[in-house]
Amino acid sequence: MSLEPHVPKFSGINRRLVDEGVLTAQQMQTAVESARKSQKKLIPYLIEHLNLKSLIIAELTAQEFGEPLFDLDAYNPEMLPKEIVDKNLVYRHQVVPLFQRGSLLYVATSDPTNMEALDAIRFNSKLNVHPIIVEQHKLEKLIEKHFQEETQFNFGDEDLDVDVVDTDQNTNQEDDDPSGDDSPIVKYINKLLVDAIRMGASDLHFEPYEKSYRVRYRVDGVLRHIANPPLQLANRLASRLKVMSQMDISEKRTPQDGRIKLKLSKTKAIDFRVNCLPTLFGEKLVLRILDPSSAMLGIDALGYEEAQKQLFMDALEKPQGMLLITGPTGSGKTVSLYTGLNILNTEDTNISTAEDPVEINLEGINQVNVNPKVGLTFSAALKAFLRQDPDVIMVGEIRDLETAEIAIKAAQTGHMVMSTLHTNSAPETLTRLRNMGVPSFNIATSVNLVIAQRLARRLCSHCKAPAEIPKNSLLEMGFTEQDLADPEFQIYQPVGCPECREGYKGRVGIYEVMKVTPEISKIIMEDGNALEIAQASARLGFDNLRRSGLKKVISGLTSLQEVNRVTSE
């Protein structure tokens, strides 16, 4: 009796996308699960993470439900009945009332099956609701321009619940008092935090200089100038942020670390990791945004090639051994680690992590904050983990020989160990361990997989344009004759439009995934250098970072300029 492979059953637009060949059944099933885990609606998820055109989805949705497709570009925004529905409701549910006919309210939506949104509009407006199908990206643009602007300002403590622990610390300087007359400061900082989240920023920089004060956001890996508050507010801004972060506002001579929790709703909270640094003209504060949803994206959203993803999944399924992820700061190592931990996080698995600091709280995982001041180092935490009956151990970073030796021992004695190092490529990671003092035999027998990664800006799908580059130049940059012989070969360049920033929107991962095979193990045992390991990796068919980046260029996801920027070649 042969067993038929399980084929997921879909309905509505999900089935239509599969039937039309836009996605395979497996891709749709994975997207549905990933969207659910990341608490996102499916259609925005498909557009953002699978690079589907919103027009294609809208056309198929209209066909599926027998409704016309309405073009929002032909609609006059002056006709928007903004007073009928609460603007925050529009922003939260991504639906827009377009016009009213008697007791019937026509509402723009990209998903007519989103009954939660339609019911909320019906209840709020006290009118019957009829959905009108529109393109998702045009809907977002309309909301961004005509609704978000009116809701993103005027944020005070009554609008955003910011968890701030009271402190008795005070200072005699009146300028440093973060309470009293500082209500505008409170609202201004809350606004900057919320705007950063909405822009998709990863970091906020508050920077004092001799004659000016500057606020910058890091968006898609690039710092962008946002605002210049008056210089005389520098102390008040720093004090408010330090109070929110539970720092000592009277201490201005040494660096401090803190944390802010910002509640956007009853179910949505964002954490900020805060560092304060004394500079020549005052205290500079940098806030790193820690969004828990980024750890729930699912492996398909990270941008691995199919073969690379399979190598990653195979390594996670092994009961023991070491999986190492390497790359510079801000290359997405933490998200990759947390993605792997989420895959392993089941009721029958005991997972412990040592992090400096714990960035995102994961339910079901035992997370430890490293604190060298009290003797809780990475190596001390690892020693304790080995007495806690672990199945999976994650070490935030291998920094020294003692930590490396304990991690190697754990990987050799029946535990899955995951960690990071700061190296430029996968082969260099193996030689770095040897340079730390780890014996070659231990490296060759314990490390299963090494992943080097970078994050490149993703080309905007609305405005990217074909780039004409001479064949000789393309060959010099790493493309092969086989690449250029493909009749569909085309690379794109950024242009810029209202939908993006300088031709880019979002980021995509570029990976070098190298399995430690018997051939590579032999080179390690013979104390081979990184170049020899890289040559063996290439012979085995493992793409290096450069080749992986060029594949992203060929697929139209990013530009050649971005690959040149984030890789060393």
Side-chain angles (χ1 to χ4, degrees):
M1 178 179 175
S2 62
L3 295 175
E4 292 290 332
H6 174 66
V7 179
K9 294 183 178 179
F10 303 105
S11 60
I13 183 58
N14 298 14
R15 185 192 68 241
R16 173 73 70 158
L17 288 169
V18 173
D19 291 346
E20 295 290 335
V22 178
L23 293 174
T24 66
Q26 186 57 49
Q27 285 175 321
M28 176 57 75
Q29 180 70 15
T30 303
V32 169
E33 294 172 357
S34 297
R36 185 184 300 118
K37 284 183 179 180
S38 58
Q39 299 181 337
K40 290 186 176 181
K41 300 298 182 185
L42 180 62
I43 289 178
Y45 182 90
L46 292 175
I47 295 170
E48 180 179 355
H49 296 289
L50 297 187
N51 207 30
L52 295 189
K53 300 285 188 181
S54 60
L55 177 59
I56 293 175
I57 296 178
E59 288 175 341
L60 292 178
T61 302
Q63 294 173 21
E64 177 68 23
F65 294 96
E67 294 281 351
L69 176 60
F70 186 79
D71 185 3
L72 283 176
D73 286 344
Y75 178 78
N76 182 6
E78 298 299 324
M79 298 173 58
L80 285 169
K82 296 182 181 180
E83 70 285 350
I84 291 181
V85 176
D86 182 80
K87 297 178 179 63
N88 291 317
L89 200 65
V90 170
Y91 181 78
R92 184 161 64 249
H93 290 289
Q94 295 289 287
V95 290
V96 174
L98 295 180
F99 46 85
Q100 179 183 354
R101 296 290 183 268
S103 62
L104 189 62
L105 182 63
Y106 291 85
V107 177
T109 177
S110 63
D111 184 5
T113 65
N114 187 359
M115 300 310 299
E116 179 187 357
L118 298 178
D119 288 343
I121 296 293
R122 183 181 296 110
F123 178 81
N124 188 258
S125 66
K126 306 296 190 295
L127 297 170
N128 294 322
V129 171
H130 181 79
I132 294 178
I133 299 171
V134 299
E135 296 172 58
Q136 175 68 23
H137 85 277
K138 292 183 179 179
L139 180 64
E140 292 174 353
K141 181 179 177 182
L142 183 69
I143 294 173
E144 177 90 17
K145 187 172 182 180
H146 296 282
F147 288 91
Q148 183 173 334
E149 286 181 356
E150 301 187 22
T151 60
Q152 70 180 357
F153 300 104
N154 303 321
F155 281 108
D157 285 339
E158 70 279 8
D159 301 303
L160 293 171
D161 182 7
V162 182
D163 285 348
V164 181
V165 176
D166 290 337
T167 175
D168 293 327
Q169 298 155 346
N170 287 307
T171 172
N172 294 327
Q173 296 184 27
E174 183 181 351
D175 280 349
D176 292 337
D177 182 9
S179 58
D181 296 332
D182 269 8
S183 179
I185 295 291
V186 171
K187 292 181 179 181
Y188 181 67
I189 288 180
N190 286 349
K191 173 191 174 302
L192 288 173
L193 299 184
V194 174
D195 284 354
I197 294 169
R198 287 177 175 161
M199 287 180 66
S202 61
D203 302 85
L204 296 82
H205 293 242
F206 292 80
E207 303 169 311
Y209 297 98
E210 183 179 12
K211 297 180 180 179
S212 65
Y213 193 94
R214 180 172 66 177
V215 178
R216 293 189 291 175
Y217 296 166
R218 188 176 294 278
V219 182
D220 295 339
V222 178
L223 279 171
R224 300 180 184 279
H225 180 216
I226 298 299
N228 288 103
L231 183 59
Q232 58 266 32
L233 295 181
N235 286 340
R236 290 180 181 271
L237 290 169
S239 294
R240 173 60 185 168
L241 286 167
K242 290 170 72 174
V243 167
M244 294 170 70
S245 310
Q246 303 171 42
M247 297 180 186
D248 182 355
I249 64 171
S250 65
E251 177 56 72
K252 298 185 178 183
R253 297 166 298 175
T254 61
Q256 297 186 64
D257 291 299
R259 200 176 182 101
I260 298 172
K261 179 179 287 292
L262 190 69
K263 290 184 179 178
L264 302 179
S265 67
K266 292 182 179 179
T267 59
K268 177 73 170 178
I270 301 288
D271 283 352
F272 295 80
R273 189 183 72 203
V274 187
N275 179 265
C276 178
L277 177 70
T279 67
L280 188 61
F281 299 106
E283 294 173 288
K284 173 178 177 175
L285 289 102
V286 176
L287 286 66
R288 166 66 59 89
I289 299 178
L290 309 174
D291 187 354
S293 64
S294 66
M296 308 294 288
L297 292 176
I299 191 170
D300 287 316
L302 298 185
Y304 285 95
E305 302 291 337
E306 198 60 38
Q308 294 176 333
K309 182 178 77 171
Q310 193 58 51
L311 288 171
F312 191 14
M313 296 299 293
D314 290 345
L316 291 175
E317 290 174 1
K318 291 187 177 181
Q320 67 182 51
M322 182 177 287
L323 190 160
L324 297 173
I325 298 179
T326 182
T329 301
S331 61
K333 298 189 299 295
T334 300
V335 172
S336 291
L337 280 175
Y338 282 175
T339 299
L341 290 176
N342 273 317
I343 293 172
L344 296 170
N345 187 15
T346 58
E347 289 188 357
D348 58 357
T349 303
N350 178 23
I351 303 176
S352 297
T353 74
E355 305 171 61
D356 183 19
V358 173
E359 295 194 356
I360 298 173
N361 179 34
L362 298 176
E363 186 71 26
I365 294 178
N366 309 292
Q367 296 172 275
V368 174
N369 251 329
V370 169
N371 187 357
K373 292 181 180 179
V374 298
L376 183 54
T377 60
F378 279 120
S379 56
L382 268 174
K383 289 178 182 176
F385 289 167
L386 293 175
R387 295 188 288 272
Q388 289 271 318
D389 185 31
D391 297 300
V392 179
I393 296 171
M394 193 272 272
V395 188
E397 184 182 350
I398 294 178
R399 297 176 178 173
D400 51 53
L401 177 59
E402 184 181 9
T403 304
E405 288 180 333
I406 301 171
I408 292 279
K409 178 183 176 182
Q412 292 175 330
T413 54
H415 308 94
M416 162 60 72
V417 179
M418 303 171 67
S419 188
T420 70
L421 280 88
H422 282 87
T423 57
N424 291 326
S425 67
E428 289 177 40
T429 303
L430 299 173
T431 56
R432 173 67 61 83
L433 287 173
R434 192 171 64 227
N435 293 339
M436 282 184 178
V438 179
S440 298
F441 174 80
N442 286 340
I443 300 171
T445 57
S446 59
V447 179
N448 293 333
L449 190 75
V450 184
I451 300 174
Q453 65 181 74
R454 302 288 189 274
L455 288 177
R457 289 183 292 174
R458 185 188 293 264
L459 280 170
C460 174
S461 58
H462 302 293
C463 67
K464 65 181 181 182
E468 299 299 330
I469 300 177
K471 179 179 178 179
N472 289 340
S473 298
L474 292 173
L475 291 172
E476 290 174 1
M477 292 177 187
F479 292 99
T480 65
E481 290 282 0
Q482 186 178 355
D483 293 333
L484 304 182
D486 187 339
E488 297 185 1
F489 176 83
Q490 179 62 66
I491 64 175
Y492 295 87
Q493 61 186 1
V495 177
C497 71
E499 301 290 334
C500 64
R501 299 179 186 89
E502 300 174 359
Y504 297 99
K505 187 175 184 181
R507 288 195 284 180
V508 62
I510 296 175
Y511 302 93
E512 177 182 19
V513 182
M514 187 183 74
K515 180 180 178 181
V516 180
T517 64
E519 182 178 345
I520 293 177
S521 294
K522 183 180 178 182
I523 297 173
I524 297 171
M525 295 280 288
E526 295 172 350
D527 290 334
N529 57 37
L531 179 58
E532 292 172 320
I533 296 173
Q535 290 170 344
S537 177
R539 286 195 302 270
L540 293 166
F542 303 136
D543 290 334
N544 61 18
L545 278 169
R546 179 69 178 182
R547 181 61 190 166
S548 182
L550 293 179
K551 284 187 174 180
K552 293 292 192 296
V553 174
I554 294 172
S555 62
L557 293 176
T558 190
S559 67
L560 194 53
Q561 299 98 305
E562 271 299 285
V563 172
N564 289 336
R565 183 178 69 87
V566 300
T567 63
S568 58
E569 297 183 40

